Amino acid sequence: MRMSKAFLALLFVFSTLIPTAHAAEVPTVFSFQGSGYGHGVGLSQMGARSMALAGQNSEQILKYFYKDIAIEPKDDSKILRVNIGHLLSSAKISSTLKGSQLQIIQGDMGSENVIPVFTLADSITFSIIGSTVSPRLTIGKTAQVLTRSKTFTIRWSGTRYLDGPDTIISVTHSGLTQKYRYGQIQVKAVKSPTGYRIEMTNSVRLADEYLWGVSEMPSFWPVAALEAQAIASRTYALSKAGIYRSACDCDLYGEISDQTFLGYAKEIEKKYGVVWKEVVTRTTGLTITQAGLPITAYFFSSSGGKTELAVNAWGSTKAYTQIVDDPGSLDLTLNPRFVTWNREVPQSIIAAAFLLPDVVSLEILGVNESGTVAQIQATSSTGVKVVLRGETFRSRTKIPSAWFSLVSVQN
């Protein structure tokens, strides 16, 4: 199934014919219909899967979705600081190997000015108190509270920092538990708009320790698609490495805002984890470049039939992005959930997206060459009008993509 230009035009016309609600009537729900999932810029993961199934290799896939690029080896041995816990009030780290203890160090061992104070523990619970982190250590059946500090570093055996058996650690926060094997973890009190919160980061080597844990594509997909993803993920990380962000105490977030980082869980996926690890290792160093520098290798799940330009999505021109056909995203067999989709969005979310007290009507003002909404305008009950890019609207309302039309409003 392919979303033709004629069909897109009909969607646009239909969406502009939705009647404007009476000023006294504030809709409770807005309904949308669309296609694709994600921002649409760069590598289409569903497109890569389709091309790989058709026999294309990773280089052909990457050079199709990115414009005027080269694929060449670069040094990827850098240490990345990856955020694995953002804006936390508490967190817990535990050793999963009996008899193997955690080492907690007061201060950030990534700094040359730290005078380390070492303590051992089976598990450590961190809480934010004022502008500091307070650790509570469990050692056997006893507990100990350490002196509070801005930052702590946690190490465990089996890493490049400590000798001993390979230890896997568990990190629990926000109701979830993840396992990590490599590097070290920093726990830091960072000022946020709502007060001080804990930022937790895992410092790992980009080439392997980081990329083995990146989970952006199912590991059972065709190898050529996995290779394209590994190269794109390495390139994206290289473009961010060394650019410190104080808000997260990191180079990259370990979630969808950068790349999803599952740590050891990705590596030990049943049957297929070893496949992803082998693909990462086999493509070591391979990087997408333009003029000799790593590009910011954007990627996404699926499109509405064509990829998107960075300038249309975010207002910033990136010479390596382009609009190309993406028929794999419209393959019902490969992408049954997002060839077409329908979503209902409540008034509260729509109003918040436009920073308005309420929204009585929406109007799509234009569509890009790719088929995405270029601009969408909201009108409040007092007549105030606000315009957003389609991608900004998509991001704020959490609808799947900017390939959408407004279907109806419910009062």
Side-chain angles (χ1 to χ4, degrees):
M1 179 181 178
R2 182 175 181 80
M3 190 176 285
S4 66
K5 289 184 177 179
F7 181 58
L8 287 169
L10 283 173
L11 285 178
F12 172 63
V13 170
F14 182 70
S15 68
T16 58
L17 291 177
I18 298 296
T20 301
H22 187 275
E25 297 178 348
V26 177
T28 58
V29 174
F30 294 81
S31 297
F32 302 89
Q33 184 179 77
S35 180
Y37 184 87
H39 52 64
V41 180
L43 172 70
S44 164
Q45 293 168 319
M46 202 60 69
R49 182 186 184 190
S50 175
M51 292 175 71
L53 288 170
Q56 306 237 29
N57 62 37
S58 57
E59 181 174 357
Q60 290 171 316
I61 293 169
L62 293 170
K63 288 187 174 179
Y64 179 76
F65 286 106
Y66 300 107
K67 183 180 180 181
D68 299 331
I69 53 98
I71 301 171
E72 56 184 328
K74 292 288 183 181
D75 177 15
D76 62 352
S77 63
K78 297 175 174 62
I79 301 298
L80 284 180
R81 200 167 174 122
V82 185
N83 187 281
I84 58 171
H86 183 48
L87 296 175
L88 307 177
S89 56
S90 64
K92 183 178 181 179
I93 302 178
S94 306
S95 172
T96 62
L97 183 64
K98 187 175 181 179
S100 180
Q101 292 182 311
L102 304 169
Q103 183 185 68
I104 180 169
I105 306 157
Q106 187 172 358
D108 187 341
M109 291 302 289
S111 168
E112 297 178 356
N113 300 319
V114 171
I115 301 174
V117 176
F118 302 94
T119 308
L120 296 177
D122 298 320
S123 67
I124 311 165
T125 300
F126 298 93
S127 302
I128 196 79
I129 298 180
S131 60
T132 60
V133 175
S134 175
R136 184 178 185 272
L137 282 56
T138 301
I139 309 160
K141 295 183 179 181
T142 64
Q144 175 186 356
V145 177
L146 291 188
T147 302
R148 288 179 284 165
S149 178
K150 283 280 189 184
T151 311
F152 291 91
T153 301
I154 295 85
R155 291 176 172 175
W156 54 96
S157 63
T159 68
R160 60 183 174 276
Y161 300 110
L162 290 177
D163 294 330
D166 287 345
T167 300
I168 311 302
I169 65 163
S170 292
V171 175
T172 302
H173 63 76
S174 310
L176 298 173
T177 298
Q178 293 286 1
K179 296 184 184 300
Y180 299 92
R181 180 176 181 178
Y182 308 107
Q184 64 181 20
I185 287 178
Q186 293 80 216
V187 180
K188 185 175 183 178
V190 174
K191 192 174 184 179
S192 77
T194 57
Y196 279 88
R197 293 291 182 269
I198 292 171
E199 296 297 328
M200 184 177 287
T201 56
N202 186 197
S203 291
V204 284
R205 191 168 49 232
L206 193 162
D208 43 25
E209 297 171 344
Y210 171 69
L211 287 174
W212 287 343
V214 168
S215 185
E216 283 288 349
M217 183 177 283
S219 299
F220 61 82
W221 278 16
V223 170
L226 294 175
E227 290 175 346
Q229 182 64 63
I231 294 167
S233 288
R234 176 182 297 107
T235 304
Y236 184 88
L238 278 171
S239 74
K240 302 292 183 179
I243 305 174
Y244 178 74
R245 307 183 205 181
S246 59
C248 63
D249 188 38
C250 72
D251 297 317
L252 292 99
Y253 285 94
E255 54 191 38
I256 196 171
S257 55
D258 279 314
Q259 300 189 98
T260 302
F261 177 66
L262 292 185
Y264 195 53
K266 178 68 174 179
E267 189 177 332
I268 59 172
E269 282 179 334
K270 186 176 181 181
K271 189 176 179 179
Y272 293 102
V274 293
V275 176
W276 172 249
K277 187 174 179 180
E278 193 277 329
V279 164
V280 168
T281 303
R282 187 173 63 251
T283 61
T284 293
L286 290 181
T287 304
I288 308 165
T289 64
Q290 192 172 78
L293 298 175
I295 68 170
T296 305
Y298 303 111
F299 52 85
F300 63 97
S301 176
S302 63
S303 73
K306 290 180 180 289
T307 61
E308 180 61 289
L309 294 171
V311 69
N312 289 342
W314 306 304
S316 57
T317 300
K318 303 293 183 183
Y320 42 82
T321 67
Q322 60 182 339
I323 297 173
V324 294
D325 289 336
D326 182 23
S329 286
L330 298 180
D331 186 325
L332 275 170
T333 302
L334 298 181
N335 193 27
R337 292 179 60 199
F338 293 105
V339 169
T340 59
W341 51 260
N342 293 277
R343 293 291 186 277
E344 292 186 344
V345 184
Q347 166 71 217
S348 59
I349 292 177
I350 296 292
F354 288 93
L355 304 179
L356 289 170
D358 58 37
V359 171
V360 295
S361 68
L362 292 173
E363 181 182 0
I364 293 174
L365 301 181
V367 174
N368 294 311
E369 178 190 344
S370 60
T372 59
V373 169
Q375 292 185 318
I376 182 169
Q377 178 178 272
T379 302
S380 74
S381 58
T382 59
V384 176
K385 297 180 186 296
V386 176
V387 176
L388 294 177
R389 292 180 183 276
E391 173 58 23
T392 303
F393 178 78
R394 190 278 303 187
S395 178
R396 292 183 182 180
T397 59
K398 308 302 181 187
I399 62 173
S401 78
W403 287 272
F404 69 84
S405 64
L406 176 64
V407 177
S408 67
V409 297
Q410 297 176 29
N411 294 314

